[in-house]
Amino acid sequence: MVRLNKIYTRTGDGGTAGLVDGSRVSKSSLRMAAIGEVDEANAAIGVAISTLREGEVRSNLLRIQNDLFDLGADVATPGRIEGALRIVASQVDRLEREIDAMNAGLEPLTSFILPSGPAAVSALHLARTVVRRAERAAVALNEAEPLNTSALGYLNRLSDHLFVTARYLAKDDGGDVLWQPGATRG
């Protein structure tokens, strides 16, 4: 169980941060960039949640936020440490099942979608782009130091999940805002 009695520790004042294994790394390292991007993605999903009423979509997103804390712990644990908290394949599989369930009731796309629409839909599109950035940071770290492949798969699938969730919510609130190529050229 996590227990935080004191919020500031002063241990990071010199520009380093502690990892799960007790080691310290520069706050500008690839690992800390990936951890920070995952944290920002989680916060962006929180903004999307704040626009939603109780229901399955909100519950799914709250569970995803918990998963992202697991993913942050995974990225903050270098190497192969016995018993480390890691993202597992079943978490990725769950995202795929949810994507498939939501997508089943959607019309096929005939154009790209503008990241727009009602507040919840727009917030989900923004969260999706932040997750893509987190994925790029995790891939950069993975190129230097191998990460758990399920963590990378989770981030990739999560952006798809947020895209389909945005479409799923837009369906009952005016539909997708479609890109109209060249429409503004005058």
Side-chain angles (χ1 to χ4, degrees), residues 6-145:
K6 192 171 185 179
I7 299 304
Y8 64 89
T9 62
R10 297 187 177 120
T11 58
D13 290 355
T16 64
L19 299 177
V20 173
D21 68 353
S23 65
R24 297 196 69 78
V25 297
S26 171
K27 289 184 178 183
S28 67
S29 71
L30 291 173
R31 187 168 303 277
M32 291 309 298
I35 292 167
E37 299 294 354
V38 168
D39 188 33
E40 188 175 347
N42 204 340
I45 291 169
V47 171
I49 290 169
S50 74
T51 66
L52 298 170
R53 295 185 183 143
E54 293 297 324
E56 185 177 7
V57 168
R58 191 173 195 279
S59 295
N60 289 347
L61 292 174
L62 286 167
R63 189 180 56 255
I64 286 167
Q65 282 195 299
N66 197 80
D67 286 350
L68 286 175
F69 261 76
D70 290 354
L71 197 146
D74 190 335
V75 175
T77 309
R80 297 189 184 275
I81 296 175
E82 186 69 31
L85 181 58
R86 301 288 185 199
I87 292 292
V88 295
S90 63
Q91 288 170 293
V92 179
D93 294 342
R94 188 191 66 242
L95 289 178
E96 290 177 357
R97 286 190 307 274
E98 291 172 1
I99 290 167
D100 292 343
M102 289 184 290
N103 206 40
L106 298 175
E107 294 294 322
L109 286 172
T110 58
S111 178
F112 288 105
I113 295 174
L114 298 179
S116 190
V121 172
S122 295
L124 285 164
H125 281 302
L126 180 60
R128 173 186 54 78
T129 66
V130 177
V131 168
R132 283 285 190 216
R133 184 167 8 107
E135 181 185 14
R136 290 190 301 273
V139 167
L141 172 59
N142 184 62
E143 289 171 354
E145 301 177 53

